[in-house]
């Protein structure tokens, strides 16, 4: 069955800082550490004007030689974390997949000269299910995951976002799921200074005119504390896809904390 275009206004795109591990299922253990993030995620349907037809999640937790799209109708679960309580390895987030959306996204990428494959076996990783559960707790919105392309070239991911832009007119919400700060070896007070320096630069870059913003983000490695904040940039690259799909549109901060996990600065953004 072909993916059908819906009559709707163009949806925004998002870059979400998705938090750590299976946090939505550990609120008691974390106390109120995730309350602000949780509230920001729950507000997305209101911002987007209701439930979308489907969601395309660009996940920081999946890398392939070329772009990959999860194409199963009923994706399983991937518990890609360690050291959490036993019950977090029994989580089920039962949102359906959408083989039709996967095929549509693949076609758009290929039309732009971008190689992309389909993976009918890929399950939901925690970059997807931990971010999407607060947004759609009933698990009633189809979700397709887009991988990162190995090499992590920011321009290639920006160009993928450009190719996928038509999905926004078809009822598809494009979400980049990563973290604006991701240095697990300093995910505490030791990373505070770097996280604040990089987050301050990132929020200022988002407020620039579109062309200047794009140049700044393509050259993110030159930002203050860039490599201290992202020793490896896989959690930043989903931002480039979300940006590419809304390149000429304004950005807004939809989530920000100065003391996430006690000390870190983190943010999420909406385009459009």
């Amino acid at each position: 069955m072909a993916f059908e275009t819906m009559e709707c206004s163009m949806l925004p795109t998002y870059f979400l800082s998705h938090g750590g591990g299976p946090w939505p299922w550990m609120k008691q253990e974390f106390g109120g550490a995730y309350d602000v993030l949780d509230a920001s995620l729950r507000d997305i349907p209101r911002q987007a004007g209701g439930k979308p037809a489907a969601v395309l999640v660009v996940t920081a937790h999946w890398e392939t030689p070329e772009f990959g799209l999860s194409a199963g109708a009923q994706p399983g679960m991937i518990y890609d974390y360690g050291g959490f309580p036993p019950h977090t390895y029994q989580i089920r987030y039962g949102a359906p997949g959408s083989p039709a959306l996967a095929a549509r996204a693949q076609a758009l990428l290929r039309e732009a000269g971008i190689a992309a494959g389909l993976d009918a076996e890929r399950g939901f990783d925690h970059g997807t299910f931990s971010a999407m559960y607060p947004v759609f707790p009933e698990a009633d919105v189809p979700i397709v995951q887009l991988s990162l392309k190995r090499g992590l070239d920011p321009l290639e991911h920006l160009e993928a976002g450009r190719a996928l832009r038509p999905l926004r007119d078809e009822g598809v919400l494009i979400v980049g799921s990563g973290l604006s700060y991701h240095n697990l070896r300093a995910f505490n007070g030791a990373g505070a200074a770097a996280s604040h320096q990089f987050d301050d630069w990132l929020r200022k870059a988002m407020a620039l005119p579109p062309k200047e913003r794009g140049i700044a983000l393509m050259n993110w490695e030159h930002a203050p504390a860039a490599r201290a904040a992202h020793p490896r940039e896989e959690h930043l690259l989903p931002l480039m896809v979300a940006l590419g799909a809304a390149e000429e549109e304004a950005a807004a901060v939809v989530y920000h904390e100065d003391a996430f996990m006690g000390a870190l600065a983190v943010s999420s953004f909406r385009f459009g």
Side-chain angles (χ1 to χ4, degrees), residues 75-205:
M77 302 291 289
I78 299 174
Y79 306 113
D80 52 343
Y81 41 73
F84 289 93
H87 76 271
T88 64
Y89 299 90
Q90 304 299 320
I91 291 168
R92 292 288 182 271
Y93 184 62
S98 175
L101 173 56
R104 170 69 172 142
Q106 181 190 43
L108 287 171
L109 290 167
R110 287 181 170 178
E111 286 170 12
I114 300 171
L118 301 178
D119 186 341
E121 303 302 318
R122 178 72 185 184
F124 293 143
D125 59 58
H126 88 264
T128 298
F129 65 77
S130 289
M132 290 295 100
Y133 174 72
V135 184
F136 305 114
E138 300 301 319
D140 54 355
V141 176
I143 296 173
V144 168
Q145 295 173 124
L146 175 69
S147 73
L148 302 179
K149 182 181 178 183
R150 285 181 193 160
L152 304 180
D153 184 330
L155 181 58
E156 288 187 318
H157 290 79
L158 181 79
E159 291 172 340
R162 289 170 177 163
L164 295 168
R165 180 186 174 93
L167 295 178
R168 298 174 58 204
D169 286 318
E170 300 170 11
V172 178
L173 188 68
I174 297 175
V175 173
S177 179
L179 268 172
S180 62
Y181 173 85
H182 194 257
N183 184 343
L184 295 182
R185 293 188 176 184
F187 214 68
N188 48 38
S195 75
H196 282 261
Q197 291 172 41
F198 185 77
D199 192 83
D200 182 64
W201 172 85
L202 185 60
R203 286 184 287 128
K204 288 177 179 176

Side-chain angles (χ1 to χ4, degrees), residues 215-238:
I215 292 171
L217 291 175
M218 289 302 98
N219 292 282
W220 72 272
E221 288 181 272
H222 300 293
R227 279 301 177 186
H230 291 280
R232 191 173 185 275
E233 57 265 43
E234 81 285 345
H235 274 70
L236 186 66
L237 266 290

